[in-house]
Amino acid sequence: MHSGRWFRRPVTWSVVVSAALLAGSVAAPLPAASDPVTAATTAEHDGARVLQENWLDARTVDLVIYSPALRTSAPVRLLLPEGWTRGADRAWPVLYLLHGCCEDADYRAWTKFTDVREFLADEDVLTVMPSGGPAGFYTRWTNFGADAPDWEAFHLRELRGILERDYGAGQRRAVAGLSIGGYGASAYAFRHPGMFRAAASFSGLLNTLQPAVPGVIKGILLREGEDPFAMWGDELLDHRTWSERNPFDHAEALRGTALYVSCGNGLPGPLDDPGSLPDPLEPAALSTSQVMIARLKNLGIPVTEDFYGPGLHDWPYWERELHRAWPMFAERLGLGVDRSGASANAVATAPTSTSPAAIRMPAE
Protein backbone atom coordinates (compact mmCIF):
# COMPACT_ATOMS: atom_id res chain seq x y z
CA MET A 1 0.00 0.00 0.00
CA HIS A 2 2.91 2.29 0.69
CA SER A 3 5.01 1.50 -2.37
CA GLY A 4 4.01 4.76 -4.09
CA ARG A 5 5.90 7.16 -1.89
CA TRP A 6 5.00 10.83 -2.01
CA PHE A 7 8.50 11.88 -3.07
CA ARG A 8 9.47 8.51 -4.56
CA ARG A 9 13.25 8.84 -4.11
CA PRO A 10 15.32 10.64 -1.47
CA VAL A 11 17.26 12.42 -4.22
CA THR A 12 14.05 14.15 -5.33
CA TRP A 13 13.81 16.23 -2.16
CA SER A 14 17.53 16.82 -2.20
CA VAL A 15 16.83 18.62 -5.46
CA VAL A 16 14.12 20.63 -3.73
CA VAL A 17 16.46 21.70 -0.94
CA SER A 18 19.15 22.64 -3.43
CA ALA A 19 16.63 24.67 -5.41
CA ALA A 20 15.46 26.30 -2.18
CA LEU A 21 18.96 27.45 -1.42
CA LEU A 22 19.33 28.84 -4.90
CA ALA A 23 15.94 30.51 -4.75
CA GLY A 24 16.33 31.86 -1.25
CA SER A 25 -11.20 -1.36 -6.24
CA VAL A 26 -13.89 -4.13 -6.24
CA ALA A 27 -16.81 -3.64 -8.64
CA ALA A 28 -20.19 -2.93 -7.04
CA PRO A 29 -23.68 -2.20 -8.35
CA LEU A 30 -23.76 1.37 -9.58
CA PRO A 31 -26.41 3.99 -8.91
CA ALA A 32 -28.77 4.69 -11.76
CA ALA A 33 -27.04 7.93 -12.73
CA SER A 34 -23.76 6.25 -13.69
CA ASP A 35 -23.18 7.86 -17.06
CA PRO A 36 -21.26 11.11 -17.55
CA VAL A 37 -23.56 14.10 -17.37
CA THR A 38 -23.43 17.28 -19.37
CA ALA A 39 -23.22 20.84 -18.16
CA ALA A 40 -26.89 21.35 -18.96
CA THR A 41 -27.93 18.86 -16.27
CA THR A 42 -25.59 19.89 -13.46
CA ALA A 43 -25.38 22.58 -10.84
CA GLU A 44 -23.64 25.80 -11.68
CA HIS A 45 -22.11 28.45 -9.50
CA ASP A 46 -20.28 31.50 -10.82
CA GLY A 47 -19.98 29.62 -14.11
CA ALA A 48 -18.50 26.47 -12.56
CA ARG A 49 -20.16 23.31 -13.82
CA VAL A 50 -19.75 19.55 -13.75
CA LEU A 51 -18.50 18.26 -17.09
CA GLN A 52 -18.33 14.57 -16.12
CA GLU A 53 -19.61 12.40 -13.32
CA ASN A 54 -17.95 8.98 -13.35
CA TRP A 55 -18.97 6.30 -10.83
CA LEU A 56 -16.20 3.91 -9.79
CA ASP A 57 -18.38 1.97 -7.35
CA ALA A 58 -21.46 2.54 -5.24
CA ARG A 59 -19.65 4.99 -2.92
CA THR A 60 -16.96 6.53 -5.10
CA VAL A 61 -17.60 9.12 -7.78
CA ASP A 62 -15.14 11.26 -9.70
CA LEU A 63 -16.21 14.65 -10.98
CA VAL A 64 -14.57 16.80 -13.63
CA ILE A 65 -15.51 20.43 -13.02
CA TYR A 66 -14.95 23.41 -15.25
CA SER A 67 -13.73 26.24 -13.03
CA PRO A 68 -13.64 29.92 -14.03
CA ALA A 69 -11.35 30.49 -11.03
CA LEU A 70 -8.81 28.07 -12.53
CA ARG A 71 -9.67 28.94 -16.14
CA THR A 72 -9.62 25.23 -16.86
CA SER A 73 -11.19 22.01 -15.56
CA ALA A 74 -10.09 20.00 -12.53
CA PRO A 75 -11.06 16.62 -11.02
CA VAL A 76 -12.57 15.90 -7.60
CA ARG A 77 -13.16 12.53 -5.92
CA LEU A 78 -16.08 12.01 -3.56
CA LEU A 79 -16.62 9.20 -1.06
CA LEU A 80 -20.34 9.09 -0.37
CA PRO A 81 -21.84 8.06 2.97
CA GLU A 82 -23.95 4.94 3.30
CA GLY A 83 -27.51 5.72 2.33
CA TRP A 84 -26.61 8.64 0.09
CA THR A 85 -29.13 9.24 -2.67
CA ARG A 86 -29.35 12.09 -5.11
CA GLY A 87 -31.91 14.66 -4.05
CA ALA A 88 -32.33 13.26 -0.55
CA ASP A 89 -34.11 15.57 1.87
CA ARG A 90 -31.10 15.88 4.17
CA ALA A 91 -27.54 17.20 4.25
CA TRP A 92 -24.37 15.35 5.27
CA PRO A 93 -21.38 16.63 7.25
CA VAL A 94 -18.38 17.19 5.00
CA LEU A 95 -14.71 16.25 5.38
CA TYR A 96 -12.27 17.81 2.93
CA LEU A 97 -8.99 15.89 2.50
CA LEU A 98 -6.23 17.84 0.74
CA HIS A 99 -3.27 16.14 -0.93
CA GLY A 100 0.37 17.23 -1.07
CA CYS A 101 2.44 18.34 -4.00
CA CYS A 102 4.32 16.55 -6.73
CA GLU A 103 2.16 13.41 -6.64
CA ASP A 104 0.82 11.97 -9.89
CA ALA A 105 -2.17 10.53 -8.02
CA ASP A 106 -3.37 14.07 -7.21
CA TYR A 107 -7.04 13.93 -6.12
CA ARG A 108 -6.81 10.11 -6.00
CA ALA A 109 -3.89 10.10 -3.57
CA TRP A 110 -5.84 9.66 -0.33
CA THR A 111 -7.64 6.60 -1.70
CA LYS A 112 -4.52 5.23 -3.39
CA PHE A 113 -2.09 5.48 -0.48
CA THR A 114 -4.30 5.17 2.62
CA ASP A 115 -7.20 3.12 3.95
CA VAL A 116 -9.54 6.13 3.98
CA ARG A 117 -12.18 4.30 1.93
CA GLU A 118 -12.43 1.50 4.48
CA PHE A 119 -11.78 3.68 7.52
CA LEU A 120 -14.72 6.00 6.77
CA ALA A 121 -17.01 3.36 5.32
CA ASP A 122 -19.31 3.37 8.36
CA GLU A 123 -19.17 7.10 8.98
CA ASP A 124 -22.06 9.36 8.05
CA VAL A 125 -19.84 11.87 6.26
CA LEU A 126 -19.33 13.10 2.70
CA THR A 127 -15.58 13.00 2.00
CA VAL A 128 -14.29 15.43 -0.62
CA MET A 129 -10.83 15.03 -2.19
CA PRO A 130 -10.27 17.82 -4.72
CA SER A 131 -7.34 18.32 -7.03
CA GLY A 132 -5.00 21.05 -5.84
CA GLY A 133 -2.72 20.91 -8.86
CA PRO A 134 0.86 19.59 -8.85
CA ALA A 135 1.93 22.41 -6.51
CA GLY A 136 -1.00 24.82 -6.39
CA PHE A 137 -0.56 25.51 -2.66
CA TYR A 138 -4.31 25.95 -2.12
CA THR A 139 -4.11 29.64 -2.88
CA ARG A 140 -4.78 32.33 -5.43
CA TRP A 141 -1.71 32.88 -7.55
CA THR A 142 -0.89 36.49 -8.28
CA ASN A 143 0.81 35.28 -11.48
CA PHE A 144 2.19 38.72 -12.32
CA GLY A 145 -1.24 40.33 -12.39
CA ALA A 146 -3.24 37.47 -13.90
CA ASP A 147 -4.64 36.42 -10.49
CA ALA A 148 -5.04 32.83 -11.63
CA PRO A 149 -5.22 30.01 -10.93
CA ASP A 150 -7.29 30.58 -7.80
CA TRP A 151 -7.48 27.22 -6.01
CA GLU A 152 -9.06 28.79 -2.95
CA ALA A 153 -12.05 30.13 -4.90
CA PHE A 154 -12.39 26.85 -6.79
CA HIS A 155 -12.53 24.75 -3.62
CA LEU A 156 -14.44 27.03 -1.26
CA ARG A 157 -16.86 28.81 -3.56
CA GLU A 158 -17.32 26.98 -6.85
CA LEU A 159 -16.90 23.36 -5.74
CA ARG A 160 -18.70 23.97 -2.47
CA GLY A 161 -21.67 25.45 -4.29
CA ILE A 162 -21.92 22.41 -6.53
CA LEU A 163 -21.60 20.00 -3.60
CA GLU A 164 -24.28 21.74 -1.57
CA ARG A 165 -26.67 21.98 -4.47
CA ASP A 166 -26.26 18.56 -6.07
CA TYR A 167 -24.51 16.19 -3.64
CA GLY A 168 -26.06 16.86 -0.24
CA ALA A 169 -23.15 18.69 1.39
CA GLY A 170 -24.19 20.36 4.61
CA GLN A 171 -22.92 23.21 6.76
CA ARG A 172 -20.85 21.14 9.20
CA ARG A 173 -17.36 20.95 7.69
CA ALA A 174 -13.86 19.85 8.62
CA VAL A 175 -10.62 19.95 6.62
CA ALA A 176 -7.35 18.03 6.84
CA GLY A 177 -4.31 17.89 4.63
CA LEU A 178 -0.73 16.68 4.37
CA SER A 179 2.39 18.67 3.51
CA ILE A 180 1.24 21.61 1.38
CA GLY A 181 -2.27 20.25 1.96
CA GLY A 182 -1.60 20.71 5.68
CA TYR A 183 -0.74 24.30 4.91
CA GLY A 184 -3.91 24.50 2.81
CA ALA A 185 -6.13 23.16 5.59
CA SER A 186 -4.76 25.73 8.03
CA ALA A 187 -4.92 28.56 5.50
CA TYR A 188 -8.51 27.78 4.53
CA ALA A 189 -9.51 27.68 8.19
CA PHE A 190 -7.98 31.04 9.13
CA ARG A 191 -8.99 32.83 5.93
CA HIS A 192 -12.62 31.71 6.35
CA PRO A 193 -13.35 31.74 10.09
CA GLY A 194 -16.34 29.57 10.95
CA MET A 195 -16.45 27.73 7.64
CA PHE A 196 -14.67 24.72 9.15
CA ARG A 197 -15.38 23.39 12.62
CA ALA A 198 -12.09 21.49 12.69
CA ALA A 199 -8.81 21.63 10.80
CA ALA A 200 -5.78 19.32 10.83
CA SER A 201 -2.29 19.76 9.44
CA PHE A 202 -0.13 16.69 8.91
CA SER A 203 3.50 17.68 8.16
CA GLY A 204 2.39 21.11 6.97
CA LEU A 205 4.39 24.30 6.48
CA LEU A 206 2.55 26.55 8.93
CA ASN A 207 4.85 29.57 8.99
CA THR A 208 5.62 30.44 5.39
CA LEU A 209 7.76 33.46 6.37
CA GLN A 210 9.97 31.62 8.87
CA PRO A 211 13.67 31.92 7.88
CA ALA A 212 14.57 29.55 5.03
CA VAL A 213 10.95 28.44 4.50
CA PRO A 214 10.26 30.78 1.54
CA GLY A 215 13.24 29.13 -0.13
CA VAL A 216 11.73 25.70 0.48
CA ILE A 217 8.42 26.85 -1.03
CA LYS A 218 10.11 28.34 -4.08
CA GLY A 219 12.21 25.20 -4.39
CA ILE A 220 9.05 23.11 -4.59
CA LEU A 221 7.69 25.40 -7.30
CA LEU A 222 10.95 25.19 -9.24
CA ARG A 223 10.87 21.41 -9.00
CA GLU A 224 7.44 21.43 -10.64
CA GLY A 225 8.62 23.68 -13.46
CA GLU A 226 6.92 26.82 -12.14
CA ASP A 227 8.31 30.33 -11.91
CA PRO A 228 9.06 30.58 -8.17
CA PHE A 229 7.74 34.16 -8.08
CA ALA A 230 4.49 33.46 -9.95
CA MET A 231 2.55 32.38 -6.88
CA TRP A 232 3.04 35.15 -4.27
CA GLY A 233 5.93 37.12 -5.70
CA ASP A 234 9.06 37.77 -3.65
CA GLU A 235 8.78 37.30 0.10
CA LEU A 236 10.54 40.63 0.72
CA LEU A 237 9.18 42.85 -2.04
CA ASP A 238 5.71 41.27 -1.76
CA HIS A 239 5.75 40.68 1.98
CA ARG A 240 2.09 41.69 2.40
CA THR A 241 0.95 39.03 -0.06
CA TRP A 242 2.99 36.35 1.71
CA SER A 243 1.77 37.48 5.12
CA GLU A 244 -1.90 37.50 4.09
CA ARG A 245 -1.58 33.79 3.38
CA ASN A 246 0.58 32.81 6.36
CA PRO A 247 -1.22 30.83 9.10
CA PHE A 248 1.32 31.91 11.73
CA ASP A 249 0.59 35.59 11.09
CA HIS A 250 -3.16 35.01 11.51
CA ALA A 251 -3.27 32.43 14.29
CA GLU A 252 -5.89 34.45 16.18
CA ALA A 253 -8.37 33.80 13.34
CA LEU A 254 -8.25 30.10 14.23
CA ARG A 255 -9.85 30.66 17.63
CA GLY A 256 -13.00 28.54 17.91
CA THR A 257 -11.79 25.97 15.37
CA ALA A 258 -10.75 22.56 16.72
CA LEU A 259 -7.10 22.18 15.69
CA TYR A 260 -4.78 19.19 15.22
CA VAL A 261 -1.11 19.57 14.24
CA SER A 262 1.31 16.68 13.75
CA CYS A 263 4.74 16.04 12.28
CA GLY A 264 7.74 13.71 12.41
CA ASN A 265 11.40 14.69 12.52
CA GLY A 266 12.56 13.30 9.16
CA LEU A 267 14.58 10.39 10.53
CA PRO A 268 13.52 6.88 9.47
CA GLY A 269 10.82 5.64 11.81
CA PRO A 270 8.76 2.54 12.57
CA LEU A 271 6.56 2.84 9.47
CA ASP A 272 9.41 3.34 6.98
CA ASP A 273 11.07 0.76 4.76
CA PRO A 274 14.31 -0.80 6.07
CA GLY A 275 17.31 1.18 4.89
CA SER A 276 15.38 4.41 4.35
CA LEU A 277 17.43 7.59 4.43
CA PRO A 278 16.51 10.76 6.33
CA ASP A 279 14.55 13.29 4.32
CA PRO A 280 15.10 17.07 4.41
CA LEU A 281 11.52 18.30 4.12
CA GLU A 282 9.97 16.89 7.29
CA PRO A 283 12.33 18.88 9.57
CA ALA A 284 11.22 22.10 7.87
CA ALA A 285 7.59 21.14 8.42
CA LEU A 286 8.37 20.20 12.02
CA SER A 287 10.03 23.53 12.77
CA THR A 288 7.13 25.58 11.39
CA SER A 289 4.59 23.33 13.14
CA GLN A 290 6.34 23.74 16.49
CA VAL A 291 6.49 27.51 16.08
CA MET A 292 2.79 27.53 15.20
CA ILE A 293 1.92 25.45 18.27
CA ALA A 294 3.83 27.88 20.48
CA ARG A 295 1.97 30.80 18.91
CA LEU A 296 -1.43 29.19 19.44
CA LYS A 297 -0.66 28.35 23.06
CA ASN A 298 0.58 31.89 23.69
CA LEU A 299 -2.79 33.13 22.42
CA GLY A 300 -4.65 30.66 24.60
CA ILE A 301 -6.06 28.78 21.59
CA PRO A 302 -6.49 25.02 22.24
CA VAL A 303 -4.67 22.68 19.86
CA THR A 304 -3.93 18.96 19.82
CA GLU A 305 -0.33 18.22 18.88
CA ASP A 306 1.36 14.98 17.89
CA PHE A 307 5.08 15.37 17.32
CA TYR A 308 5.83 11.69 17.02
CA GLY A 309 9.61 11.75 16.54
CA PRO A 310 11.18 9.49 13.88
CA GLY A 311 9.16 9.39 10.68
CA LEU A 312 9.68 10.44 7.07
CA HIS A 313 7.54 12.76 4.97
CA ASP A 314 5.38 9.91 3.79
CA TRP A 315 1.93 8.36 3.60
CA PRO A 316 2.08 5.71 6.35
CA TYR A 317 2.31 8.48 8.94
CA TRP A 318 -0.42 10.62 7.37
CA GLU A 319 -2.78 7.65 7.31
CA ARG A 320 -2.05 7.06 10.99
CA GLU A 321 -2.56 10.75 11.80
CA LEU A 322 -5.98 10.77 10.14
CA HIS A 323 -6.94 7.89 12.42
CA ARG A 324 -5.65 9.75 15.46
CA ALA A 325 -7.38 13.00 14.53
CA TRP A 326 -10.68 11.31 13.69
CA PRO A 327 -12.30 11.53 17.16
CA MET A 328 -11.87 15.32 17.03
CA PHE A 329 -13.45 15.45 13.59
CA ALA A 330 -16.29 13.12 14.58
CA GLU A 331 -17.15 15.26 17.58
CA ARG A 332 -17.09 18.53 15.70
CA LEU A 333 -19.04 17.09 12.78
CA GLY A 334 -21.70 15.76 15.15
CA LEU A 335 -21.22 12.12 14.23
CA GLY A 336 -22.03 10.92 17.72
CA VAL A 337 -19.48 8.21 18.51
CA ASP A 338 -15.72 8.20 18.20
CA ARG A 339 -13.54 5.21 17.32
CA SER A 340 -13.09 4.27 20.97
CA GLY A 341 -16.84 3.79 21.30
CA ALA A 342 -17.30 6.72 23.67
CA SER A 343 -20.17 9.09 23.13
CA ALA A 344 -19.04 12.30 21.52
CA ASN A 345 -19.73 15.58 23.23
CA ALA A 346 -22.22 17.98 21.78
CA VAL A 347 -20.86 19.83 18.79
CA ALA A 348 -19.70 23.30 19.73
CA THR A 349 -21.68 26.10 18.22
CA ALA A 350 -19.74 27.83 15.48
CA PRO A 351 -20.72 30.45 12.96
CA THR A 352 -21.72 28.96 9.65
CA SER A 353 -22.01 30.55 6.29
CA THR A 354 -25.23 30.75 4.38
CA SER A 355 -25.40 30.13 0.66
CA PRO A 356 -22.21 29.84 -1.38
CA ALA A 357 -23.22 32.94 -3.29
CA ALA A 358 -23.08 34.94 -0.07
CA ILE A 359 -19.46 34.01 0.66
CA ARG A 360 -16.90 36.69 0.06
CA MET A 361 -13.34 35.65 -0.49
CA PRO A 362 -10.80 37.47 1.72
CA ALA A 363 -9.73 40.86 0.44
CA GLU A 364 -6.24 40.86 -1.01
Side-chain angles (χ1 to χ4, degrees), residues 176-200:
L178 60 100
S179 193
I180 68 170
Y183 161 80
S186 301
Y188 283 179
F190 91 73
R191 286 174 61 81
H192 302 269
M195 182 180 289
F196 297 99
R197 298 187 177 202

Side-chain angles (χ1 to χ4, degrees), residues 289-364:
S289 296
Q290 290 174 327
V291 167
M292 184 64 170
I293 288 287
R295 174 70 172 152
L296 291 166
K297 290 183 176 179
N298 185 58
L299 292 170
I301 298 174
V303 56
T304 299
E305 62 184 271
D306 185 14
F307 296 133
Y308 44 83
L312 302 184
H313 199 75
D314 205 359
W315 282 101
Y317 298 98
W318 302 327
E319 175 185 271
R320 187 182 69 183
E321 290 308 301
L322 178 63
H323 290 202
R324 290 177 174 179
W326 179 249
M328 179 190 78
F329 286 134
E331 178 180 354
R332 283 303 181 103
L333 292 174
L335 298 181
V337 178
D338 66 24
R339 287 299 172 122
S340 69
S343 296
N345 297 327
V347 176
T349 301
T352 56
S353 55
T354 54
S355 67
I359 290 180
R360 298 180 61 185
M361 303 303 285
E364 303 298 344

Side-chain angles (χ1 to χ4, degrees), residues 138-177:
Y138 301 93
T139 190
R140 188 181 84 179
W141 287 44
T142 58
N143 215 358
F144 310 109
D147 289 330
D150 188 342
W151 292 99
E152 184 177 8
F154 170 56
H155 293 150
L156 303 188
R157 187 172 64 218
E158 296 173 346
L159 171 60
R160 191 168 70 85
I162 289 172
L163 294 175
E164 291 180 3
R165 180 170 173 177
D166 280 358
Y167 295 93
Q171 300 293 309
R172 289 176 290 172
R173 311 177 196 91
V175 59

Side-chain angles (χ1 to χ4, degrees), residues 267-285:
L267 297 176
L271 304 183
D272 297 305
D273 294 335
S276 294
L277 298 176
D279 79 68
L281 190 58
E282 192 74 357

